[in-house]
Amino acid sequence: MKKGLIAIIVAIAVCAATFAFVACGNTESNSENVTSTSDAAFESNEYDNSTDSTESTSEDEEIKYSVGLSYIVNDDGKTCTVSGIGTCVDADVVIPPKNPDGYPVTTIGDNAFQNCTKLTSVIIPNAVTSINYNAFFGCTGLTNVTIPNGVTSIGYGAFSGCTGLTSVTIPDSVTFIDYNAFFDCTGLTSVTLPNSVTSIGYLAFFGCNNLKYNEYDNAYYLGNENNKYLAFITRESTNVTFCAINETTKIIAGGAFCGCDNITSITIPDSVTSIGDNAFWGCVGLTSVTIPDSVTSIGSMAFRGCTGLTSITIPESVTSIGGQIFDGCTGLTSIAIPGSVTSIGPLTFFGCTGLTSITIPNSVTSIDIWAFRDCAKLTDINFNGTKEQWRAIRKDDEWDKDSGDYVVHCTDGDIAKG
Protein backbone atom coordinates (compact mmCIF):
# COMPACT_ATOMS: atom_id res chain seq x y z
CA MET A 1 0.00 0.00 0.00
CA LYS A 2 2.79 2.40 0.89
CA LYS A 3 4.36 1.94 -2.56
CA GLY A 4 0.98 2.66 -4.16
CA LEU A 5 0.55 5.76 -2.01
CA ILE A 6 3.99 7.05 -2.99
CA ALA A 7 3.20 6.48 -6.68
CA ILE A 8 -0.06 8.40 -6.37
CA ILE A 9 1.58 11.31 -4.56
CA VAL A 10 4.26 11.50 -7.28
CA ALA A 11 1.59 11.41 -9.99
CA ILE A 12 -0.32 14.25 -8.31
CA ALA A 13 2.85 16.34 -8.08
CA VAL A 14 3.64 15.80 -11.77
CA CYS A 15 0.11 16.67 -12.88
CA ALA A 16 -0.03 19.72 -10.62
CA ALA A 17 3.25 21.04 -11.99
CA THR A 18 2.09 20.49 -15.55
CA PHE A 19 -1.21 22.23 -14.85
CA ALA A 20 0.53 25.22 -13.33
CA PHE A 21 2.95 25.81 -16.16
CA VAL A 22 1.43 24.58 -19.38
CA ALA A 23 -1.95 22.89 -19.35
CA CYS A 24 -4.12 25.91 -18.99
CA GLY A 25 -2.24 28.17 -21.40
CA ASN A 26 -3.62 29.17 -24.77
CA THR A 27 -2.79 27.11 -27.83
CA GLU A 28 -0.81 30.06 -29.15
CA SER A 29 1.69 29.86 -26.29
CA ASN A 30 5.28 29.25 -27.33
CA SER A 31 7.12 26.23 -25.92
CA GLU A 32 10.84 25.72 -25.69
CA ASN A 33 12.22 22.99 -27.88
CA VAL A 34 13.43 19.82 -26.25
CA THR A 35 17.18 19.84 -25.60
CA SER A 36 18.70 16.82 -27.28
CA THR A 37 21.71 14.79 -26.29
CA SER A 38 22.62 12.40 -29.08
CA ASP A 39 22.93 8.69 -28.57
CA ALA A 40 26.49 7.49 -28.26
CA ALA A 41 26.19 5.57 -31.51
CA PHE A 42 25.40 8.77 -33.39
CA GLU A 43 28.16 10.75 -31.70
CA SER A 44 30.88 8.24 -32.45
CA ASN A 45 29.94 7.13 -35.99
CA GLU A 46 29.62 8.83 -39.32
CA TYR A 47 26.30 8.48 -41.09
CA ASP A 48 26.66 6.32 -44.16
CA ASN A 49 23.15 4.77 -44.25
CA SER A 50 24.80 1.44 -45.02
CA THR A 51 23.17 -1.85 -44.17
CA ASP A 52 24.08 -5.47 -44.74
CA SER A 53 20.64 -6.91 -44.13
CA THR A 54 18.42 -7.28 -47.18
CA GLU A 55 15.21 -8.99 -48.17
CA SER A 56 13.96 -9.56 -51.68
CA THR A 57 10.34 -8.63 -52.22
CA SER A 58 10.31 -9.00 -56.01
CA GLU A 59 12.70 -9.50 -58.89
CA ASP A 60 13.30 -5.75 -59.11
CA GLU A 61 12.95 -4.61 -55.48
CA GLU A 62 15.15 -5.24 -52.47
CA ILE A 63 14.58 -3.81 -48.98
CA LYS A 64 17.68 -2.78 -47.08
CA TYR A 65 17.11 -3.11 -43.36
CA SER A 66 19.13 -1.31 -40.73
CA VAL A 67 21.58 -3.41 -38.73
CA GLY A 68 23.04 -2.96 -35.27
CA LEU A 69 19.79 -2.08 -33.48
CA SER A 70 19.31 -3.42 -29.95
CA TYR A 71 16.50 -5.83 -29.10
CA ILE A 72 15.02 -7.58 -26.10
CA VAL A 73 12.84 -10.68 -26.18
CA ASN A 74 9.30 -10.08 -24.93
CA ASP A 75 7.72 -11.98 -22.03
CA ASP A 76 5.91 -14.28 -24.43
CA GLY A 77 9.28 -15.66 -25.52
CA LYS A 78 8.16 -15.50 -29.13
CA THR A 79 8.44 -11.83 -30.13
CA CYS A 80 10.80 -8.95 -29.43
CA THR A 81 11.07 -5.22 -28.81
CA VAL A 82 13.45 -2.70 -30.37
CA SER A 83 15.13 -1.38 -27.23
CA GLY A 84 17.72 1.05 -28.62
CA ILE A 85 19.80 2.39 -31.49
CA GLY A 86 22.66 0.07 -30.55
CA THR A 87 25.52 0.36 -33.06
CA CYS A 88 23.29 1.37 -35.97
CA VAL A 89 24.57 4.49 -37.76
CA ASP A 90 21.76 4.95 -40.27
CA ALA A 91 20.06 8.33 -40.50
CA ASP A 92 17.18 6.67 -42.35
CA VAL A 93 16.31 3.70 -40.19
CA VAL A 94 14.39 0.76 -41.63
CA ILE A 95 13.51 -1.55 -38.75
CA PRO A 96 13.55 -5.20 -39.87
CA PRO A 97 10.46 -7.36 -39.30
CA LYS A 98 12.59 -9.81 -37.26
CA ASN A 99 15.67 -9.44 -35.08
CA PRO A 100 18.89 -11.36 -35.96
CA ASP A 101 17.63 -14.32 -33.89
CA GLY A 102 14.40 -14.54 -35.85
CA TYR A 103 12.01 -13.06 -33.29
CA PRO A 104 9.28 -10.88 -34.90
CA VAL A 105 9.46 -7.21 -33.87
CA THR A 106 6.16 -6.17 -32.25
CA THR A 107 7.09 -3.15 -30.12
CA ILE A 108 9.21 -0.01 -30.24
CA GLY A 109 10.41 0.09 -26.64
CA ASP A 110 10.64 2.80 -23.99
CA ASN A 111 13.23 5.46 -24.89
CA ALA A 112 14.40 3.32 -27.84
CA PHE A 113 15.53 6.24 -30.03
CA GLN A 114 15.39 9.02 -27.45
CA ASN A 115 17.46 12.09 -28.39
CA CYS A 116 18.82 10.52 -31.59
CA THR A 117 18.94 13.98 -33.13
CA LYS A 118 20.49 12.90 -36.44
CA LEU A 119 17.75 10.41 -37.17
CA THR A 120 15.81 11.69 -40.20
CA SER A 121 13.32 8.95 -41.06
CA VAL A 122 11.97 5.68 -39.65
CA ILE A 123 10.06 2.86 -41.27
CA ILE A 124 8.37 0.60 -38.72
CA PRO A 125 7.52 -3.01 -39.65
CA ASN A 126 3.93 -4.14 -40.04
CA ALA A 127 3.91 -6.50 -37.05
CA VAL A 128 4.49 -3.66 -34.56
CA THR A 129 1.44 -2.97 -32.41
CA SER A 130 2.73 -0.35 -29.96
CA ILE A 131 5.13 2.59 -29.92
CA ASN A 132 6.07 3.00 -26.29
CA TYR A 133 7.05 5.67 -23.77
CA ASN A 134 9.35 8.36 -25.21
CA ALA A 135 10.31 6.05 -28.08
CA PHE A 136 11.37 8.94 -30.35
CA PHE A 137 11.51 11.71 -27.74
CA GLY A 138 13.73 14.62 -28.80
CA CYS A 139 14.51 13.30 -32.29
CA THR A 140 14.69 16.83 -33.64
CA GLY A 141 15.97 15.76 -37.06
CA LEU A 142 13.14 13.31 -37.69
CA THR A 143 11.10 14.53 -40.64
CA ASN A 144 9.30 11.38 -41.73
CA VAL A 145 7.90 8.37 -39.90
CA THR A 146 5.86 5.55 -41.35
CA ILE A 147 3.45 4.10 -38.79
CA PRO A 148 2.11 0.76 -40.03
CA ASN A 149 -1.50 -0.32 -40.04
CA GLY A 150 -1.16 -2.61 -37.05
CA VAL A 151 -0.10 -0.17 -34.37
CA THR A 152 -2.88 0.20 -31.80
CA SER A 153 -1.30 2.63 -29.33
CA ILE A 154 1.08 5.58 -29.49
CA GLY A 155 2.63 5.88 -26.05
CA TYR A 156 3.38 8.65 -23.59
CA GLY A 157 5.77 11.16 -25.18
CA ALA A 158 6.40 8.85 -28.13
CA PHE A 159 7.23 11.71 -30.53
CA SER A 160 7.54 14.55 -28.03
CA GLY A 161 9.98 17.24 -29.13
CA CYS A 162 10.28 15.94 -32.72
CA THR A 163 10.44 19.49 -34.03
CA GLY A 164 11.27 18.42 -37.59
CA LEU A 165 8.07 16.44 -38.13
CA THR A 166 5.69 18.31 -40.43
CA SER A 167 2.89 15.80 -40.95
CA VAL A 168 1.69 12.55 -39.42
CA THR A 169 -0.86 10.09 -40.76
CA ILE A 170 -2.13 7.82 -38.02
CA PRO A 171 -3.34 4.46 -39.36
CA ASP A 172 -6.82 2.99 -38.94
CA SER A 173 -5.57 0.48 -36.37
CA VAL A 174 -4.68 3.07 -33.68
CA THR A 175 -7.18 3.37 -30.83
CA PHE A 176 -5.18 5.25 -28.18
CA ILE A 177 -2.87 8.28 -28.27
CA ASP A 178 -1.28 8.80 -24.86
CA TYR A 179 -0.15 11.83 -22.82
CA ASN A 180 2.35 14.13 -24.54
CA ALA A 181 2.51 11.86 -27.60
CA PHE A 182 3.30 14.78 -29.96
CA PHE A 183 4.06 17.42 -27.32
CA ASP A 184 6.15 20.33 -28.64
CA CYS A 185 6.27 19.10 -32.24
CA THR A 186 6.57 22.70 -33.36
CA GLY A 187 7.04 21.86 -37.05
CA LEU A 188 3.91 19.74 -37.24
CA THR A 189 1.34 21.31 -39.55
CA SER A 190 -1.10 18.48 -40.23
CA VAL A 191 -2.38 15.37 -38.45
CA THR A 192 -4.97 12.93 -39.77
CA LEU A 193 -6.90 11.04 -37.11
CA PRO A 194 -8.74 7.85 -38.15
CA ASN A 195 -12.16 6.91 -36.84
CA SER A 196 -10.57 4.02 -34.93
CA VAL A 197 -9.13 6.39 -32.29
CA THR A 198 -11.19 6.24 -29.10
CA SER A 199 -9.05 8.14 -26.60
CA ILE A 200 -6.50 10.99 -26.67
CA GLY A 201 -4.38 11.73 -23.61
CA TYR A 202 -3.55 14.93 -21.80
CA LEU A 203 -1.37 17.42 -23.73
CA ALA A 204 -1.03 15.00 -26.65
CA PHE A 205 -0.67 17.88 -29.13
CA PHE A 206 0.26 20.71 -26.79
CA GLY A 207 2.94 23.06 -28.11
CA CYS A 208 2.25 22.14 -31.75
CA ASN A 209 1.95 25.82 -32.52
CA ASN A 210 1.84 25.42 -36.30
CA LEU A 211 -0.68 22.61 -36.39
CA LYS A 212 -3.70 23.39 -38.56
CA TYR A 213 -6.83 22.56 -36.61
CA ASN A 214 -10.43 22.47 -37.73
CA GLU A 215 -12.24 25.27 -35.89
CA TYR A 216 -15.78 25.21 -34.55
CA ASP A 217 -17.41 27.47 -31.95
CA ASN A 218 -14.38 28.62 -29.94
CA ALA A 219 -12.61 25.28 -30.15
CA TYR A 220 -9.99 23.35 -32.11
CA TYR A 221 -10.55 19.87 -33.54
CA LEU A 222 -8.65 17.15 -35.41
CA GLY A 223 -10.15 14.51 -37.65
CA ASN A 224 -10.19 13.20 -41.19
CA GLU A 225 -11.85 13.93 -44.51
CA ASN A 226 -15.04 12.16 -43.40
CA ASN A 227 -15.25 13.81 -39.98
CA LYS A 228 -13.25 16.98 -39.40
CA TYR A 229 -14.52 17.20 -35.84
CA LEU A 230 -13.72 13.68 -34.65
CA ALA A 231 -11.72 14.87 -31.65
CA PHE A 232 -12.20 18.01 -29.58
CA ILE A 233 -8.56 18.83 -28.79
CA THR A 234 -8.72 22.14 -26.95
CA ARG A 235 -10.64 25.36 -26.44
CA GLU A 236 -9.61 28.58 -28.17
CA SER A 237 -8.52 30.07 -24.84
CA THR A 238 -9.19 29.69 -21.15
CA ASN A 239 -11.37 32.83 -21.28
CA VAL A 240 -14.22 31.30 -23.29
CA THR A 241 -17.62 31.50 -21.62
CA PHE A 242 -19.45 29.09 -23.92
CA CYS A 243 -18.40 26.31 -26.24
CA ALA A 244 -20.80 24.01 -28.09
CA ILE A 245 -19.23 20.66 -28.88
CA ASN A 246 -19.79 19.60 -32.49
CA GLU A 247 -22.48 16.96 -32.89
CA THR A 248 -20.16 14.59 -34.76
CA THR A 249 -17.43 14.64 -32.11
CA LYS A 250 -16.45 11.26 -30.72
CA ILE A 251 -13.59 12.17 -28.36
CA ILE A 252 -13.07 14.92 -25.81
CA ALA A 253 -9.29 14.89 -25.49
CA GLY A 254 -7.39 15.12 -22.25
CA GLY A 255 -7.25 18.70 -20.93
CA ALA A 256 -9.75 19.95 -23.53
CA PHE A 257 -11.44 22.49 -21.20
CA CYS A 258 -8.70 22.67 -18.58
CA GLY A 259 -8.79 25.95 -16.65
CA CYS A 260 -11.86 27.44 -18.33
CA ASP A 261 -12.99 29.38 -15.25
CA ASN A 262 -15.88 31.14 -17.00
CA ILE A 263 -17.77 28.17 -18.39
CA THR A 264 -20.81 27.41 -16.20
CA SER A 265 -22.41 24.53 -18.08
CA ILE A 266 -21.58 22.11 -20.84
CA THR A 267 -23.71 19.83 -22.99
CA ILE A 268 -21.96 16.79 -24.36
CA PRO A 269 -23.57 15.42 -27.56
CA ASP A 270 -24.55 11.76 -27.81
CA SER A 271 -21.84 11.16 -30.41
CA VAL A 272 -19.13 11.35 -27.70
CA THR A 273 -17.81 8.03 -26.38
CA SER A 274 -14.88 9.11 -24.19
CA ILE A 275 -13.95 12.02 -21.94
CA GLY A 276 -10.19 12.31 -21.50
CA ASP A 277 -7.98 12.80 -18.47
CA ASN A 278 -8.11 16.32 -16.99
CA ALA A 279 -10.79 17.26 -19.53
CA PHE A 280 -12.51 19.80 -17.23
CA TRP A 281 -9.81 20.19 -14.59
CA GLY A 282 -10.09 23.51 -12.78
CA CYS A 283 -13.36 24.66 -14.37
CA VAL A 284 -14.39 26.32 -11.13
CA GLY A 285 -17.48 27.99 -12.63
CA LEU A 286 -18.94 24.73 -13.94
CA THR A 287 -22.09 23.90 -12.00
CA SER A 288 -23.68 21.10 -14.00
CA VAL A 289 -22.75 18.57 -16.65
CA THR A 290 -24.96 16.29 -18.69
CA ILE A 291 -23.18 13.13 -19.81
CA PRO A 292 -24.99 11.15 -22.52
CA ASP A 293 -25.34 7.37 -22.46
CA SER A 294 -22.98 7.10 -25.43
CA VAL A 295 -20.00 7.78 -23.13
CA THR A 296 -18.22 4.62 -21.95
CA SER A 297 -15.11 6.02 -20.24
CA ILE A 298 -14.22 9.07 -18.16
CA GLY A 299 -10.51 9.67 -17.61
CA SER A 300 -8.52 10.40 -14.48
CA MET A 301 -8.97 13.86 -12.94
CA ALA A 302 -11.60 14.69 -15.55
CA PHE A 303 -13.50 17.02 -13.19
CA ARG A 304 -10.77 17.64 -10.64
CA GLY A 305 -11.04 20.98 -8.91
CA CYS A 306 -14.49 21.83 -10.32
CA THR A 307 -15.45 23.46 -7.03
CA GLY A 308 -18.75 24.84 -8.35
CA LEU A 309 -20.01 21.47 -9.59
CA THR A 310 -23.10 20.54 -7.56
CA SER A 311 -24.62 17.78 -9.64
CA ILE A 312 -23.60 15.32 -12.30
CA THR A 313 -25.29 12.22 -13.68
CA ILE A 314 -23.11 9.34 -14.83
CA PRO A 315 -24.97 7.04 -17.24
CA GLU A 316 -25.06 3.26 -17.07
CA SER A 317 -22.99 3.12 -20.28
CA VAL A 318 -19.85 4.23 -18.40
CA THR A 319 -17.67 1.22 -17.57
CA SER A 320 -14.48 3.00 -16.57
CA ILE A 321 -13.98 5.91 -14.16
CA GLY A 322 -10.42 7.13 -13.71
CA GLY A 323 -8.77 7.98 -10.40
CA GLN A 324 -9.20 11.46 -8.90
CA ILE A 325 -12.09 12.14 -11.24
CA PHE A 326 -13.90 14.33 -8.67
CA ASP A 327 -10.89 15.24 -6.53
CA GLY A 328 -11.54 18.61 -4.86
CA CYS A 329 -15.14 19.01 -6.06
CA THR A 330 -16.15 20.71 -2.83
CA GLY A 331 -19.62 21.68 -4.09
CA LEU A 332 -20.68 18.13 -4.92
CA THR A 333 -23.26 16.92 -2.37
CA SER A 334 -24.47 13.61 -3.77
CA ILE A 335 -23.73 11.25 -6.63
CA ALA A 336 -24.75 7.82 -7.93
CA ILE A 337 -22.21 5.48 -9.49
CA PRO A 338 -23.76 3.40 -12.29
CA GLY A 339 -24.05 -0.39 -12.10
CA SER A 340 -21.66 -0.82 -15.02
CA VAL A 341 -18.67 0.33 -12.92
CA THR A 342 -16.61 -2.33 -11.14
CA SER A 343 -14.02 -0.28 -9.27
CA ILE A 344 -13.65 3.09 -7.54
CA GLY A 345 -10.13 4.33 -8.20
CA PRO A 346 -7.59 6.11 -5.99
CA LEU A 347 -8.59 9.56 -4.69
CA THR A 348 -11.83 9.49 -6.70
CA PHE A 349 -13.71 11.71 -4.23
CA PHE A 350 -10.69 13.04 -2.31
CA GLY A 351 -11.48 16.39 -0.71
CA CYS A 352 -15.18 16.41 -1.63
CA THR A 353 -15.93 18.17 1.62
CA GLY A 354 -19.60 18.81 0.73
CA LEU A 355 -20.41 15.21 -0.18
CA THR A 356 -23.09 13.81 2.13
CA SER A 357 -24.38 10.76 0.26
CA ILE A 358 -23.33 8.38 -2.49
CA THR A 359 -24.93 5.39 -4.17
CA ILE A 360 -22.60 2.47 -4.93
CA PRO A 361 -23.78 -0.51 -7.04
CA ASN A 362 -23.13 -4.14 -6.14
CA SER A 363 -21.03 -4.44 -9.32
CA VAL A 364 -18.16 -2.68 -7.50
CA THR A 365 -15.48 -5.14 -6.39
CA SER A 366 -12.76 -2.75 -5.20
CA ILE A 367 -12.37 0.67 -3.59
CA ASP A 368 -8.86 2.08 -3.80
CA ILE A 369 -6.69 4.21 -1.53
CA TRP A 370 -8.09 7.55 -0.34
CA ALA A 371 -11.18 7.13 -2.54
CA PHE A 372 -13.25 9.06 0.04
CA ARG A 373 -10.50 10.81 1.99
CA ASP A 374 -11.51 14.09 3.65
CA CYS A 375 -15.19 13.60 2.80
CA ALA A 376 -15.92 14.95 6.27
CA LYS A 377 -19.69 15.33 5.76
CA LEU A 378 -20.29 11.88 4.33
CA THR A 379 -23.17 10.33 6.28
CA ASP A 380 -24.84 7.89 3.88
CA ILE A 381 -23.44 5.23 1.56
CA ASN A 382 -26.33 3.55 -0.23
CA PHE A 383 -25.11 0.15 -1.37
CA ASN A 384 -27.25 -1.81 -3.81
CA GLY A 385 -26.28 -5.14 -2.36
CA THR A 386 -26.23 -7.20 0.81
CA LYS A 387 -24.03 -6.71 3.86
CA GLU A 388 -22.06 -9.77 2.83
CA GLN A 389 -21.43 -8.28 -0.62
CA TRP A 390 -20.28 -4.99 0.93
CA ARG A 391 -17.81 -6.79 3.18
CA ALA A 392 -16.53 -8.78 0.18
CA ILE A 393 -15.45 -5.61 -1.67
CA ARG A 394 -11.68 -5.24 -1.61
CA LYS A 395 -11.04 -1.96 0.19
CA ASP A 396 -7.69 -0.29 0.74
CA ASP A 397 -6.85 0.27 4.42
CA GLU A 398 -7.19 4.03 3.97
CA TRP A 399 -10.05 4.22 1.50
CA ASP A 400 -12.18 6.30 3.92
CA LYS A 401 -9.43 8.16 5.81
CA ASP A 402 -10.73 11.28 7.57
CA SER A 403 -14.24 10.79 6.20
CA GLY A 404 -17.49 11.44 8.07
CA ASP A 405 -19.32 9.03 10.37
CA TYR A 406 -21.21 7.38 7.55
CA VAL A 407 -23.59 4.46 7.63
CA VAL A 408 -23.64 1.90 4.81
CA HIS A 409 -27.26 1.13 3.91
CA CYS A 410 -27.40 -2.36 2.40
CA THR A 411 -30.44 -4.19 1.08
CA ASP A 412 -30.55 -6.36 4.22
CA GLY A 413 -29.56 -3.84 6.87
CA ASP A 414 -27.06 -1.16 7.88
CA ILE A 415 -23.35 -1.22 8.67
CA ALA A 416 -21.82 1.59 10.75
CA LYS A 417 -18.42 3.05 9.92
CA GLY A 418 -15.53 1.11 11.34
Side-chain angles (χ1 to χ4, degrees), residues 169-243:
T169 298
I170 296 170
D172 292 338
S173 53
V174 170
T175 60
F176 177 53
I177 300 172
D178 207 346
Y179 277 47
N180 296 343
F182 295 94
F183 184 98
D184 240 3
C185 290
T186 55
L188 198 60
T189 59
S190 68
V191 172
T192 301
L193 291 182
N195 291 328
S196 59
V197 174
T198 59
S199 180
I200 297 175
Y202 190 40
L203 304 178
F205 296 97
F206 187 85
C208 299
N209 298 330
N210 292 306
L211 186 57
K212 295 177 182 177
Y213 291 98
N214 303 310
E215 298 184 29
Y216 178 84
D217 198 46
N218 301 321
Y220 300 127
Y221 294 77
L222 289 175
N224 53 61
E225 61 180 7
N226 295 318
N227 184 1
K228 297 192 300 181
Y229 307 110
L230 178 71
F232 183 114
I233 302 300
T234 189
R235 65 288 183 265
E236 187 178 72
S237 81
T238 56
N239 296 320
V240 297
T241 58
F242 179 78
C243 187

Side-chain angles (χ1 to χ4, degrees), residues 117-164:
T117 58
K118 294 182 181 179
L119 186 66
T120 58
S121 69
V122 177
I123 296 177
I124 298 170
N126 291 332
V128 168
T129 58
S130 62
I131 301 172
N132 285 2
Y133 176 86
N134 284 358
F136 297 95
F137 178 95
C139 292
T140 55
L142 187 64
T143 58
N144 183 50
V145 60
T146 301
I147 302 174
N149 194 12
V151 170
T152 59
S153 65
I154 299 175
Y156 188 119
F159 296 96
S160 180
C162 292
T163 56

